[in-house]
Amino acid sequence: MSEVPATLPDLLTGLATTRAIRRLALDPIPDDDLSAILWHATRAPSGTNRQPVRYVVLRDDERGRDAKDVLGRGFRDGWKAKSESAGYGQGSALDPNSRKGRQRAAMEYFVEHFEQFPAVVLVCLVRYRDPNPFEGASVYPACQNLLLAARALGYGGVLTGWHGPVETELRELLGLPDGVAIHATIPLGRPLGHHGPVRRLPLNEVVFDGAWGESATWARDPDGTEFAGPPPTP
């Protein structure tokens, strides 16, 4: 295993500081570290312990490079559409010091370097019943475990869904059988920036006591919490 951070974050610190990291270093991830990240992902809860999640890890071999090339095209197309629809080509997005400008720069780095990221994990579900809106409950806890484990070992990543437009080509290339769904694409690497703290809405705006809209007076943010709301409507 490569050098582990001198101080591993405790669980609550990890939960409060694990950010979506899109500016990833291009250095390889040692096998032992990648194995540890995936092992912790498999510890996630699984209904009736069915364990239907599978992980296809794309690295720097011929098939991995080919698959990342396919994904890179899909991600650039996805960003182009989002950039146009969400106004990333105008206004505050053109100011590199603004929140939106920083987001734009991170996204442009992300899609321009996607093929060079050291590992990309396709998180898949082996379906055991007809597709339904709730099947992600069998997958996304594992995705969060994966990202938390990466955070603990000094890595970062981001859960994405932009494999969709190129999924048909990707499935053929990787030999994914019918009945296996790709639910997430997670690139991993060393952060070029840093994790946390994560900014969210105030707790009393999202927690209700017993019924919708009933204020939970006991729900208080820790001292020093910084806040951020959702992005403005374009």
Side-chain angles (χ1 to χ4, degrees), residues 183-209:
H183 271 264
T185 299
I186 304 178
L188 295 172
R190 294 277 183 196
L192 293 179
H194 55 82
H195 280 282
V198 176
R199 296 177 176 85
R200 297 291 186 262
L201 290 165
L203 197 60
N204 62 13
E205 293 186 18
V206 298
V207 176
F208 304 136
D209 193 2

Side-chain angles (χ1 to χ4, degrees), residues 6 13 15 30 33 38 40 49 53 57 72-73 79-80 84 86 92 100-101 112 124 146 162 166 169 189 196 223 234:
T13 298
L15 289 170
D33 284 358
L38 270 296
H40 285 87
N49 205 27
V53 183
V57 183
R73 283 193 278 108
W79 168 239
K80 180 180 178 182
E84 292 172 355
S92 64
K100 197 165 185 177
E112 288 169 5
C124 303
L146 188 154
W162 281 351
V166 295
E169 185 177 354
D223 291 342

Side-chain angles (χ1 to χ4, degrees), residues 33-69:
D33 284 358
L34 197 54
S35 178
I37 291 169
L38 270 296
W39 187 88
H40 285 87
T42 65
R43 303 303 99 178
S46 176
T48 65
N49 205 27
R50 188 180 292 271
Q51 303 179 64
V53 183
R54 300 293 183 268
Y55 309 86
V56 180
V57 183
L58 309 176
R59 306 183 73 187
D60 195 28
D61 53 42
E62 182 177 358
R63 184 173 291 183
R65 288 192 296 270
D66 288 346
K68 285 192 282 186
D69 285 346

Side-chain angles (χ1 to χ4, degrees), residues 87-171:
Y88 278 93
Q90 60 189 9
S92 64
L94 302 180
D95 178 0
N97 297 313
S98 71
R99 177 186 171 197
K100 197 165 185 177
R102 292 192 298 270
Q103 290 173 337
R104 175 187 177 182
M107 284 300 306
E108 288 180 346
Y109 177 92
F110 181 63
V111 299
E112 288 169 5
H113 293 83
F114 189 92
E115 292 90 334
Q116 299 168 271
F117 292 151
V120 176
V121 183
L122 303 178
V123 188
C124 303
L125 172 72
V126 180
R127 285 193 168 119
Y128 51 92
R129 55 190 173 195
D130 291 339
N132 65 84
F134 309 107
E135 66 182 14
S138 297
V139 180
Y140 296 124
C143 293
Q144 184 69 356
N145 267 31
L146 188 154
L147 290 168
L148 288 168
R151 160 80 172 95
L153 293 176
Y155 298 95
V158 57
L159 189 155
T160 74
W162 281 351
H163 56 269
V166 295
E167 183 170 346
T168 299
E169 185 177 354
L170 191 64
R171 295 178 70 89

